[in-house]
Amino acid sequence: MDSKISIKDLSKSYGDVQALKGINLDIESGELFGLIGPDGAGKTSLFRLLATLLLPDSGSATLCGFDMVKEYKPIRNILGYMPGRFSLYQDLSVLENLNFFATVFDTRIEDNMEMIRDIWLQIEPFKHRLAGKLSGGMKQKLALCCALIHQPKILLLDEPTTGVDVVSRSEFWQMLKSLKAKGVTIIVATPYMDEANLCERVALMQDGEILSLNTPAGIISDFGRDLYAIQGKDIYQLLLDLRTYPHANSVFPFGQSIHYTDKRDAISPSELKDYLISKGQYDIEISKITAGIEDCFMALSQQNKVQA
Amino acid sequence: MLKGHYSFTIILKITMKRFIGFIKKEFYHIFRDKRSMLILFGMPIVQLLLFGFVITNDLKDVKMAVVDHSKDEYTLEIINKITSSGYFKLVENLDGIAQVDEIFRKGETKVVLVFEPDFGKNLVKGSHASVQLLTDASEPNMANMEVNYLQGILQNYNVEINRGKRVPNQIVPQTRMYFNAELESVYMFIPGIMATILMLVSAMMTSISIAREKELGTMEILLVSPLQPWQIILGKVTPYLVLSFINALVIVGMGYFVFGVPVLGSFVLLMAESVLFILLALSLGIFISTVSDSQQVAMMLSMFALMLPTILLSGFIFPLRNMPLPLQILSNIIPPRWFIVIIKNIMLKGTGFEFVWKETLILIGMTAGLIALSVKKFKIRLE
């Protein structure tokens, strides 16, 4: 069955705050799609609209061909939704939670084993533990399991890996990959830029707008400039010095180094190094690197702000 | 036609399965939450015992002192009559009236009986003798009651010694206390407690439990599921209907076996009216939950909107006819006011449905109105 999502001019405001500003987006059947953006970008609002929990101010969207507003009932049957906050019953055990959601969707755990086996095998040892006593990663796996119990065609995951340790995060993404192989259309929201590379296509969102929509590789190749990582002894002073450099285009701290782009097309690193040494910096290392999604996001959001 | 019928039974089966699953989940919540359990089962019993044993208006062993200036057979007999009634207990014989002030200040003794000198002589010769009753009126209601009881005993004695004599033109009132011959205050409290507990358990607990789903975000998931709003509401409400009904049984049972409060009317009618009142309280709880987003708000609303009026304005503790008119009018919209009338009628007066149908109709009307309002206000979305 065709489980496309198409969103047209979707807008939503809460009082004076415009959470979504005319979003247009088409997501293909069976795609693993990422919504990347910081808190407040509008990801959760978009999810709640698609999950038929909110009504749009204007615009429309269809899921599997059903209209989000008028045909919300059939949508609720084919949709798996995992809210950003852990929303299962903490005073019920793993098994009780799963059984409850199975009954709600008129199904049984056994009938859906094929769908949830990979995840179930990981949480089964804790099946009699109360959900509230699980670790963060386990909670998210259980929530995913509950969202999958009725074999949804479309899966909406709002920041499923926030607050989850690195190992569990990569396990979680493995699960999404295998779900995608089963033909489920998946939209994942995440504030982690590194997770973008795991999606087929991503939309970079900020302030209720989509800044860029492409494959992760496409977004990176759109990054037009040469990117340099600069390291030094005093990162903070280095940052200030770089920002006062007349040719500087963008300067962002990035872990233990600073990512730098220049306004000129061709630059000589030695010239930059000389400038920094004249500013009193020492032990300077400058190396050319390929941009990551986060660099693209920073560049795009800066452009966006300049335009606005 | 046949196919349509078939799918209808399937739908019914699915609906039942979902319903049972939901109720099971709801009972897990209740039985695993100590606070809920305490409110549900601890509170009714504690309240009942408190009101029944501690907060009693009945006279029992009131400490009494006597200043007897006469000390003859008549005063002795009167004192005997008073102490053997069980209401009063003689603790001290005082020498003179001067000690009364001091003894009241100590606070233990509440009543002092003062006989005039030559009490007996006066009674026989002059057919007129005086006895003075002094009470500690820092508790005015109790003081009043003590005086009334004492006067009653003296009156009886008066009648007794005048037996066989012709006393011209005397009116002797014969009183009888209907429906509560012993003037037991527990008779009054059982209906009141029943109304309070059912209101609290049904309305507060449901509103809190629905608000909890909203607060913890699980309502979001329930809404996104194929469950209909009425299925969610029914699933949330049914366990409390069952538990409240058990509470009603416990209260009536304890009233009967522990405090001897009778059920003169039909037990079935009493329970049917209780179920009606529970339904009313449940729909009130649902309504409260539709206007509150957190457990805290739901609890505060239930407390202020339900508990206080139930206790103060329902006629449970303070008689309605003594209230200022605006409050009397206000009491008409307070459901327990009508419920208390109904159960008092059934339990204490033994009347049938023909005497409580008006109140019943009012409760049914209120229930229907609240359910309609709640269904209208219950959201199928988040806003």
Side-chain angles (χ1 to χ4, degrees):
Chain A
M1 189 183 156
D2 187 28
S3 40
K4 269 181 66 168
I5 301 172
S6 48
I7 303 167
K8 281 196 183 60
D9 288 328
L10 207 58
S11 292
K12 178 75 191 170
S13 314
Y14 306 101
D16 291 338
V17 184
Q18 231 189 327
L20 291 176
K21 303 169 183 165
I23 298 286
N24 280 294
L25 191 59
D26 279 293
I27 295 162
E28 296 304 320
S29 202
E31 196 174 358
L32 176 51
F33 190 90
L35 278 179
I36 319 288
D39 292 343
K43 294 172 298 187
T44 299
S45 295
L46 184 57
F47 273 138
R48 286 186 168 165
L49 281 163
L50 291 178
T52 73
L53 285 170
L54 293 178
L55 290 172
D57 297 336
S58 65
S60 65
T62 57
L63 294 88
C64 295
F66 295 115
D67 183 80
M68 182 182 79
V69 177
K70 287 190 208 104
E71 294 166 300
Y72 72 93
K73 277 186 185 170
I75 289 180
R76 288 179 179 187
N77 271 311
I78 53 160
L79 193 73
Y81 171 51
M82 205 174 131
R85 197 160 46 129
F86 179 67
S87 303
L88 297 177
Y89 298 103
Q90 316 244 6
D91 52 344
L92 260 55
S93 73
V94 168
L95 201 59
E96 284 158 357
N97 263 301
L98 209 50
N99 264 323
F100 172 68
F101 285 103
T103 344
V104 162
F105 285 95
D106 183 41
T107 181
R108 294 184 308 167
I109 298 176
E110 305 89 78
D111 298 343
N112 299 284
M113 226 2 137
E114 194 211 348
M115 188 81 160
I116 60 170
R117 178 166 290 119
D118 298 347
I119 314 163
W120 178 241
L121 287 177
Q122 294 196 30
I123 55 175
E124 203 190 355
F126 310 101
K127 64 182 176 186
H128 294 302
R129 191 176 289 184
L130 295 187
K133 297 222 155 71
L134 292 173
S135 68
M138 280 297 166
K139 275 183 183 167
Q140 293 309 79
K141 283 171 195 166
L142 173 61
L144 181 62
C145 224
C146 288
L148 286 171
I149 197 71
H150 59 298
Q151 311 218 3
K153 304 244 179 328
I154 293 174
L155 196 55
L156 303 177
L157 308 172
D158 192 359
E159 302 201 1
T161 54
T162 300
V164 172
D165 66 277
V166 185
V167 178
S168 295
R169 263 170 71 185
S170 85
E171 281 173 355
F172 198 88
W173 277 93
Q174 275 309 312
M175 289 169 192
L176 295 189
K177 285 255 163 75
S178 68
L179 282 174
K180 182 198 139 46
K182 293 187 174 95
V184 184
T185 307
I186 306 171
I187 310 185
V188 191
T190 176
Y192 299 121
M193 304 288 170
D194 56 322
E195 291 185 340
N197 292 314
L198 303 167
C199 304
E200 283 173 283
R201 282 197 305 154
V202 292
L204 301 186
M205 279 187 82
Q206 195 183 35
D207 297 330
E209 285 175 290
I210 293 180
L211 301 176
S212 175
L213 175 66
N214 211 326
T215 59
I219 285 188
I220 289 165
S221 71
D222 282 349
F223 191 81
R225 293 174 188 279
D226 289 344
L227 183 70
Y228 295 91
I230 302 174
Q231 282 177 305
K233 279 285 175 227
D234 183 353
I235 293 282
Y236 181 67
Q237 193 54 46
L238 189 60
L239 185 76
L240 298 181
D241 289 344
L242 279 168
R243 285 203 170 141
T244 53
Y245 189 55
H247 302 296
N249 178 53
S250 70
V251 182
F252 293 112
F254 208 101
Q256 285 307 301
S257 62
I258 287 171
H259 285 191
Y260 170 84
T261 59
D262 202 275
K263 277 179 185 152
R264 298 161 296 180
D265 285 338
I267 78 158
S268 79
S270 59
E271 188 190 326
L272 183 59
K273 197 167 181 173
D274 289 343
Y275 164 76
L276 288 173
I277 287 168
S278 76
K279 284 280 177 182
Q281 295 282 344
Y282 54 98
D283 283 352
I284 305 289
E285 272 178 57
I286 300 178
S287 50
K288 193 172 171 189
I289 53 164
T290 46
I293 293 281
E294 188 160 352
D295 297 306
C296 302
F297 184 85
M298 294 307 257
L300 286 164
S301 73
Q302 201 184 29
Q303 264 175 34
N304 196 45
K305 278 195 185 115
V306 170
Q307 279 163 13
Chain B
M1 201 55 208
L2 202 70
K3 204 181 158 207
H5 181 72
Y6 180 68
S7 63
F8 174 74
T9 52
I10 291 226
I11 288 169
L12 198 71
K13 229 171 125 186
I14 293 173
T15 310
M16 269 324 281
K17 247 178 79 185
R18 276 182 184 161
F19 184 59
I20 290 165
F22 206 112
I23 289 180
K24 228 165 94 183
K25 176 212 94 164
E26 215 50 50
F27 273 115
Y28 285 141
H29 288 323
I30 297 168
F31 289 139
R32 282 174 195 177
D33 183 24
K34 288 195 186 95
R35 208 176 44 175
S36 299
M37 288 299 281
L38 206 66
I39 293 182
L40 274 170
F41 297 108
M43 206 172 57
I45 293 172
V46 170
Q47 273 210 17
L48 211 60
L49 294 178
L50 274 180
F51 276 110
F53 284 127
V54 184
I55 312 171
T56 169
N57 288 335
D58 304 336
L59 289 192
K60 198 181 167 232
D61 291 339
V62 176
K63 289 188 178 143
M64 178 184 77
V66 171
V67 184
D68 192 349
H69 294 299
S70 178
K71 293 206 174 73
D72 53 44
E73 52 180 310
Y74 290 100
T75 60
L76 210 62
E77 206 179 343
I78 289 173
I79 292 168
N80 261 338
K81 286 236 179 271
I82 291 171
T83 50
S84 65
S85 71
Y87 300 127
F88 300 93
K89 192 172 142 197
L90 182 64
V91 287
E92 218 170 331
N93 274 301
L94 305 178
D95 298 328
I97 198 89
Q99 285 171 296
V100 171
D101 199 58
E102 193 197 330
I103 203 164
F104 275 156
R105 276 181 206 286
K106 275 188 201 155
E108 287 284 310
T109 308
K110 300 292 178 192
V111 186
V112 178
L113 212 57
V114 187
F115 293 100
E116 64 175 347
D118 301 327
F119 180 85
K121 234 183 253 171
N122 289 344
L123 194 63
V124 178
K125 278 189 185 160
S127 74
H128 191 278
S130 292
V131 56
Q132 191 179 22
L133 307 178
L134 303 172
T135 59
D136 173 1
S138 52
E139 290 167 87
N141 286 336
M142 291 305 279
N144 244 330
M145 213 163 11
E146 286 150 12
V147 170
N148 285 338
Y149 273 60
L150 282 174
Q151 276 176 342
I153 296 169
L154 289 172
Q155 179 83 35
N156 278 343
Y157 184 67
N158 212 4
V159 172
E160 217 170 276
I161 54 175
N162 283 322
R163 188 165 293 142
K165 289 178 194 164
R166 254 185 69 92
V167 184
N169 307 332
Q170 202 179 25
I171 299 172
V172 183
Q174 299 281 334
T175 56
R176 185 186 152 197
M177 301 298 182
Y178 262 70
F179 310 126
N180 185 358
E182 315 289 316
L183 290 176
E184 296 268 10
S185 49
V186 73
Y187 279 30
M188 183 56 223
F189 285 131
I190 291 287
I193 289 171
M194 191 133 148
T196 317
I197 296 285
L198 294 185
M199 201 67 170
L200 192 76
V201 168
S202 312
M204 188 159 107
M205 299 296 276
T206 30
S207 67
I208 288 177
S209 96
I210 296 178
R212 180 168 56 195
E213 301 249 5
K214 286 193 196 174
E215 192 179 311
L216 298 181
T218 46
M219 190 55 101
E220 223 171 305
I221 301 214
L222 291 183
L223 286 176
V224 177
S225 79
L227 286 174
Q228 306 281 330
W230 64 266
Q231 285 175 317
I232 298 177
I233 289 184
L234 213 61
K236 295 244 68 148
V237 152
T238 311
Y240 290 105
L241 178 66
V242 174
L243 294 173
S244 303
F245 186 72
I246 294 174
N247 265 327
L249 286 176
V250 167
I251 294 168
V252 173
M254 272 185 78
Y256 186 80
F257 291 110
V258 180
F259 298 107
V261 181
V263 182
L264 296 178
S266 153
F267 182 72
V268 176
L269 181 63
L270 180 68
M271 284 301 127
E273 296 280 1
S274 302
V275 169
L276 172 64
F277 183 69
I278 292 168
L279 283 176
L280 174 82
L282 290 175
S283 39
L284 205 58
I286 299 168
F287 179 70
I288 289 174
S289 75
T290 59
V291 292
S292 43
D293 284 324
S294 69
Q295 299 182 66
Q296 199 83 37
V297 176
M299 189 151 121
M300 291 313 261
L301 272 178
S302 314
M303 278 290 187
F304 287 112
L306 302 179
M307 282 306 292
L308 288 179
T310 301
I311 292 177
L312 299 179
L313 288 179
S314 65
F316 167 18
I317 293 179
F318 306 109
L320 284 172
R321 55 169 189 270
N322 293 353
M323 288 178 194
L325 192 65
L327 284 182
Q328 283 193 38
I329 293 169
L330 188 67
S331 77
N332 286 329
I333 61 161
I334 302 203
R337 174 209 192 290
W338 305 105
F339 182 59
I340 288 178
V341 172
I342 292 173
I343 36 178
K344 264 199 213 162
N345 267 316
I346 298 173
M347 285 175 78
L348 306 181
K349 299 188 188 172
T351 52
F353 186 66
E354 62 273 21
F355 288 99
V356 294
W357 66 268
K358 258 189 256 166
E359 286 81 3
T360 309
L361 219 56
I362 291 171
L363 289 186
I364 291 175
M366 285 177 167
T367 312
L370 278 169
I371 288 177
L373 209 61
S374 309
V375 168
K376 215 179 140 200
K377 286 217 73 170
F378 192 87
K379 294 156 196 149
I380 52 165
R381 300 176 203 273
L382 280 182
E383 48 171 18

